[in-house]
Amino acid sequence: MSVNYGSKRVVSGAHYGLRDWLAQRVTAALMALFTITLLVQVIFTSGPLGYETWAGIFAAQWMKVLTFVVIVALLYHVWVGMRDIWMDYVKPVGVRLALHVFTLVWLVGCAGWAFSVLWRL
Amino acid sequence: MTELTKKRPEFRNINALSDLPTYRLPAAGWVSILHRVSGALMFLLMPFIIWMFDTSLSSEFSYERFTSAFGAGIGFVPGWFIKLVALALIWAYLHHFIAGVRHLYMDMTHSVTKEFGKSSATVTLVLSIALTVVLGAKLFGLY
């Protein structure tokens, strides 16, 4: 049998999942960075954490931009992850398609809600 | 017939209820399946997460609603239940975060030995559960 892996792999037009694999890691690193940034700001506030301080953290323009990017990253990250789960456990094509559509609608809806919160700030 | 060509039992269509509970997973296996479980849990609870994001940030009035949800509850949902869901999210985030950092570290340094897999998986499980207990105690006002 001819070798079809490694450097000998026949590469046709389709991508082989590398883009999603890589995207999941890049978005994960971004979200981890966001988590640490937010934690540092929460930990180093003086006094009890009230509404003013909490909203103040997100009101800063750079934090808004970072949060916006993280929501987009989250969207892509969760899409790749949930798609993996559906592909592993759900075999009937129709059911899988329905679940994919549900996942997309759910995620885009959630992201839209989060964006609107961020915009109003 | 030699030993090798003899018909061996085949296991197909693993039953989730009768077969899966009999499997004994190594630590890395637990980290792996819990990574999925925690991810799926956060996906399903995403509207709740954004509801918290919304009410805690939008105004001082909604902030009040946010904090009282954890005490007096909100609508027909009691406060302890909200706290319990929040605790589940805390665990899911901690596990997913630590297991994710383990993934990234292994990808970057090619640390794929059996020993490292086992030790890092144990650290992931211990750390995520310990931090969940500490934060959970704070959430339920034990200290």
Side-chain angles (χ1 to χ4, degrees):
Chain A
M1 216 162 86
S2 65
V3 177
N4 190 22
Y5 54 81
S7 57
K8 298 269 191 282
R9 193 178 68 188
V10 178
V11 179
S12 58
H15 64 94
Y16 288 80
L18 177 69
R19 188 175 57 192
D20 284 346
W21 179 88
L22 196 61
Q24 201 166 36
R25 270 133 192 92
V26 172
T27 51
L30 202 63
M31 288 185 288
L33 204 70
F34 172 80
T35 306
I36 293 163
T37 312
L38 183 59
L39 264 183
V40 165
Q41 290 185 84
V42 169
I43 290 168
F44 287 103
T45 48
S46 45
L49 185 75
Y51 172 74
E52 285 301 322
T53 346
W54 177 243
I57 291 173
F58 285 94
Q61 191 62 35
W62 68 270
M63 191 62 180
K64 267 190 193 178
V65 173
L66 182 63
T67 310
F68 176 78
V69 174
V70 163
I71 293 167
V72 177
L74 185 79
L75 197 73
Y76 198 172
H77 187 93
V78 178
W79 163 244
V80 176
M82 285 312 290
R83 186 170 151 269
D84 281 344
I85 293 181
W86 301 138
M87 285 197 300
D88 277 354
Y89 304 130
V90 182
K91 302 300 173 189
V93 178
V95 182
R96 196 190 277 179
L97 176 68
L99 287 167
H100 280 183
V101 173
F102 158 72
T103 306
L104 284 171
V105 171
W106 186 265
L107 283 176
V108 172
C110 284
W113 184 4
F115 288 146
S116 77
V117 174
L118 202 58
W119 261 205
R120 267 186 273 123
L121 226 60
Chain B
M1 227 183 228
T2 61
E3 198 65 28
L4 275 170
T5 50
K6 237 188 273 175
K7 184 116 180 87
R8 289 189 297 171
E10 263 185 45
F11 295 101
R12 291 187 181 189
N13 293 330
I14 299 160
N15 189 292
L17 297 176
S18 64
D19 294 333
L20 282 188
T22 67
Y23 283 22
R24 287 176 64 238
L25 288 173
W30 277 108
V31 170
S32 176
I33 190 63
L34 289 178
H35 200 84
R36 281 214 155 161
V37 171
S38 56
L41 186 73
M42 288 188 287
F43 167 74
L44 288 173
L45 289 175
M46 206 176 270
F48 175 62
I49 298 169
I50 299 169
W51 175 82
M52 289 195 289
F53 183 63
D54 187 351
T55 47
S56 71
L57 281 177
S58 290
S59 68
E60 234 157 315
F61 181 71
S62 70
Y63 186 83
E64 280 302 311
R65 211 147 40 89
F66 169 75
T67 45
S68 75
F70 287 83
I74 190 151
F76 62 92
V77 189
W80 61 264
F81 186 76
I82 302 265
K83 280 185 181 177
L84 216 56
V85 176
L87 187 63
L89 278 174
I90 288 171
W91 167 78
Y93 198 89
L94 285 169
H95 182 88
H96 212 85
F97 185 95
I98 299 169
V101 169
R102 172 174 176 265
H103 252 309
L104 288 175
Y105 180 80
M106 285 173 126
D107 285 347
M108 284 190 299
T109 58
H110 298 184
S111 317
V112 285
T113 60
K114 220 173 176 177
E115 291 74 28
F116 181 78
K118 191 180 166 61
S119 61
S120 61
T122 311
V123 168
T124 303
L125 290 172
V126 170
L127 208 59
S128 63
I129 292 168
L131 283 172
T132 305
V133 168
V134 170
L135 292 173
K138 181 79 185 164
L139 181 65
F140 282 91
L142 296 186
Y143 66 90

mmCIF file of all heavy atoms in Angstrom, chain A residues 12-27:
data_model
loop_
_atom_site.group_PDB
_atom_site.id
_atom_site.type_symbol
_atom_site.label_atom_id
_atom_site.label_comp_id
_atom_site.label_asym_id
_atom_site.label_seq_id
_atom_site.Cartn_x
_atom_site.Cartn_y
_atom_site.Cartn_z
ATOM 1 N N SER A 12 -4.592 17.118 -1.256
ATOM 2 C CA SER A 12 -5.508 17.675 -2.241
ATOM 3 C C SER A 12 -6.025 19.004 -1.695
ATOM 4 O O SER A 12 -5.413 19.604 -0.831
ATOM 5 C CB SER A 12 -6.642 16.697 -2.517
ATOM 6 O OG SER A 12 -7.308 16.403 -1.325
ATOM 7 N N GLY A 13 -7.143 19.477 -2.208
ATOM 8 C CA GLY A 13 -7.614 20.802 -1.843
ATOM 9 C C GLY A 13 -8.045 20.967 -0.400
ATOM 10 O O GLY A 13 -7.894 22.035 0.160
ATOM 11 N N ALA A 14 -8.593 19.916 0.201
ATOM 12 C CA ALA A 14 -9.185 20.062 1.521
ATOM 13 C C ALA A 14 -8.112 20.247 2.591
ATOM 14 O O ALA A 14 -6.993 19.779 2.428
ATOM 15 C CB ALA A 14 -10.021 18.842 1.849
ATOM 16 N N HIS A 15 -8.461 20.931 3.663
ATOM 17 C CA HIS A 15 -7.528 20.993 4.785
ATOM 18 C C HIS A 15 -7.833 19.802 5.682
ATOM 19 O O HIS A 15 -8.893 19.213 5.622
ATOM 20 C CB HIS A 15 -7.637 22.324 5.522
ATOM 21 C CG HIS A 15 -8.954 22.575 6.182
ATOM 22 N ND1 HIS A 15 -9.207 22.281 7.484
ATOM 23 C CD2 HIS A 15 -10.106 23.085 5.685
ATOM 24 C CE1 HIS A 15 -10.442 22.615 7.766
ATOM 25 N NE2 HIS A 15 -11.012 23.087 6.708
ATOM 26 N N TYR A 16 -6.846 19.421 6.491
ATOM 27 C CA TYR A 16 -6.985 18.170 7.226
ATOM 28 C C TYR A 16 -7.218 18.385 8.720
ATOM 29 O O TYR A 16 -6.806 17.590 9.535
ATOM 30 C CB TYR A 16 -5.755 17.296 6.991
ATOM 31 C CG TYR A 16 -5.740 16.731 5.594
ATOM 32 C CD1 TYR A 16 -5.314 17.492 4.521
ATOM 33 C CD2 TYR A 16 -6.208 15.448 5.361
ATOM 34 C CE1 TYR A 16 -5.341 16.983 3.242
ATOM 35 C CE2 TYR A 16 -6.233 14.934 4.088
ATOM 36 C CZ TYR A 16 -5.804 15.703 3.018
ATOM 37 O OH TYR A 16 -5.840 15.184 1.760
ATOM 38 N N GLY A 17 -7.851 19.490 9.050
ATOM 39 C CA GLY A 17 -8.168 19.729 10.451
ATOM 40 C C GLY A 17 -7.074 20.480 11.192
ATOM 41 O O GLY A 17 -7.232 20.803 12.355
ATOM 42 N N LEU A 18 -5.963 20.765 10.509
ATOM 43 C CA LEU A 18 -4.859 21.470 11.179
ATOM 44 C C LEU A 18 -5.286 22.878 11.592
ATOM 45 O O LEU A 18 -4.982 23.323 12.681
ATOM 46 C CB LEU A 18 -3.630 21.546 10.264
ATOM 47 C CG LEU A 18 -2.456 22.344 10.864
ATOM 48 C CD1 LEU A 18 -1.837 21.591 12.038
ATOM 49 C CD2 LEU A 18 -1.394 22.628 9.816
ATOM 50 N N ARG A 19 -6.042 23.527 10.684
ATOM 51 C CA ARG A 19 -6.455 24.895 10.968
ATOM 52 C C ARG A 19 -7.286 24.951 12.253
ATOM 53 O O ARG A 19 -7.051 25.782 13.127
ATOM 54 C CB ARG A 19 -7.267 25.442 9.791
ATOM 55 C CG ARG A 19 -7.576 26.916 9.924
ATOM 56 C CD ARG A 19 -8.258 27.439 8.690
ATOM 57 N NE ARG A 19 -9.482 26.719 8.387
ATOM 58 C CZ ARG A 19 -10.154 26.826 7.253
ATOM 59 N NH1 ARG A 19 -9.709 27.622 6.312
ATOM 60 N NH2 ARG A 19 -11.254 26.147 7.046
ATOM 61 N N ASP A 20 -8.270 24.043 12.390
ATOM 62 C CA ASP A 20 -9.110 24.031 13.583
ATOM 63 C C ASP A 20 -8.306 23.660 14.822
ATOM 64 O O ASP A 20 -8.488 24.224 15.894
ATOM 65 C CB ASP A 20 -10.272 23.048 13.398
ATOM 66 C CG ASP A 20 -11.340 23.633 12.500
ATOM 67 O OD1 ASP A 20 -11.304 24.853 12.263
ATOM 68 O OD2 ASP A 20 -12.205 22.873 12.028
ATOM 69 N N TRP A 21 -7.422 22.679 14.645
ATOM 70 C CA TRP A 21 -6.582 22.230 15.766
ATOM 71 C C TRP A 21 -5.752 23.390 16.294
ATOM 72 O O TRP A 21 -5.690 23.653 17.482
ATOM 73 C CB TRP A 21 -5.687 21.079 15.273
ATOM 74 C CG TRP A 21 -4.765 20.538 16.302
ATOM 75 C CD1 TRP A 21 -5.017 19.549 17.208
ATOM 76 C CD2 TRP A 21 -3.408 20.951 16.550
ATOM 77 N NE1 TRP A 21 -3.921 19.325 17.992
ATOM 78 C CE2 TRP A 21 -2.923 20.170 17.611
ATOM 79 C CE3 TRP A 21 -2.569 21.909 15.963
ATOM 80 C CZ2 TRP A 21 -1.639 20.311 18.112
ATOM 81 C CZ3 TRP A 21 -1.280 22.053 16.472
ATOM 82 C CH2 TRP A 21 -0.825 21.252 17.527
ATOM 83 N N LEU A 22 -5.129 24.112 15.350
ATOM 84 C CA LEU A 22 -4.277 25.238 15.714
ATOM 85 C C LEU A 22 -5.116 26.371 16.306
ATOM 86 O O LEU A 22 -4.736 26.972 17.310
ATOM 87 C CB LEU A 22 -3.517 25.719 14.473
ATOM 88 C CG LEU A 22 -2.320 26.622 14.725
ATOM 89 C CD1 LEU A 22 -1.265 25.902 15.553
ATOM 90 C CD2 LEU A 22 -1.713 27.086 13.411
ATOM 91 N N ALA A 23 -6.264 26.631 15.675
ATOM 92 C CA ALA A 23 -7.127 27.719 16.141
ATOM 93 C C ALA A 23 -7.558 27.469 17.580
ATOM 94 O O ALA A 23 -7.621 28.381 18.395
ATOM 95 C CB ALA A 23 -8.343 27.847 15.234
ATOM 96 N N GLN A 24 -7.849 26.194 17.905
ATOM 97 C CA GLN A 24 -8.289 25.875 19.256
ATOM 98 C C GLN A 24 -7.190 26.193 20.267
ATOM 99 O O GLN A 24 -7.460 26.678 21.359
ATOM 100 C CB GLN A 24 -8.690 24.406 19.348
ATOM 101 C CG GLN A 24 -9.610 24.151 20.523
ATOM 102 C CD GLN A 24 -10.289 22.816 20.444
ATOM 103 O OE1 GLN A 24 -9.700 21.841 19.985
ATOM 104 N NE2 GLN A 24 -11.511 22.736 20.899
ATOM 105 N N ARG A 25 -5.933 25.960 19.870
ATOM 106 C CA ARG A 25 -4.820 26.248 20.775
ATOM 107 C C ARG A 25 -4.531 27.748 20.898
ATOM 108 O O ARG A 25 -4.276 28.240 22.004
ATOM 109 C CB ARG A 25 -3.577 25.485 20.314
ATOM 110 C CG ARG A 25 -3.515 24.123 20.962
ATOM 111 C CD ARG A 25 -3.211 22.987 19.994
ATOM 112 N NE ARG A 25 -3.444 21.705 20.636
ATOM 113 C CZ ARG A 25 -4.603 21.058 20.577
ATOM 114 N NH1 ARG A 25 -5.631 21.563 19.924
ATOM 115 N NH2 ARG A 25 -4.745 19.909 21.187
ATOM 116 N N VAL A 26 -4.594 28.436 19.781
ATOM 117 C CA VAL A 26 -4.333 29.881 19.811
ATOM 118 C C VAL A 26 -5.415 30.585 20.634
ATOM 119 O O VAL A 26 -5.121 31.421 21.491
ATOM 120 C CB VAL A 26 -4.279 30.456 18.379
ATOM 121 C CG1 VAL A 26 -4.198 31.973 18.404
ATOM 122 C CG2 VAL A 26 -3.079 29.882 17.629
ATOM 123 N N THR A 27 -6.691 30.207 20.395
ATOM 124 C CA THR A 27 -7.773 30.843 21.146
ATOM 125 C C THR A 27 -7.681 30.488 22.624
ATOM 126 O O THR A 27 -7.988 31.310 23.488
ATOM 127 C CB THR A 27 -9.144 30.415 20.599
ATOM 128 O OG1 THR A 27 -9.185 28.984 20.514
ATOM 129 C CG2 THR A 27 -9.425 31.012 19.239
#
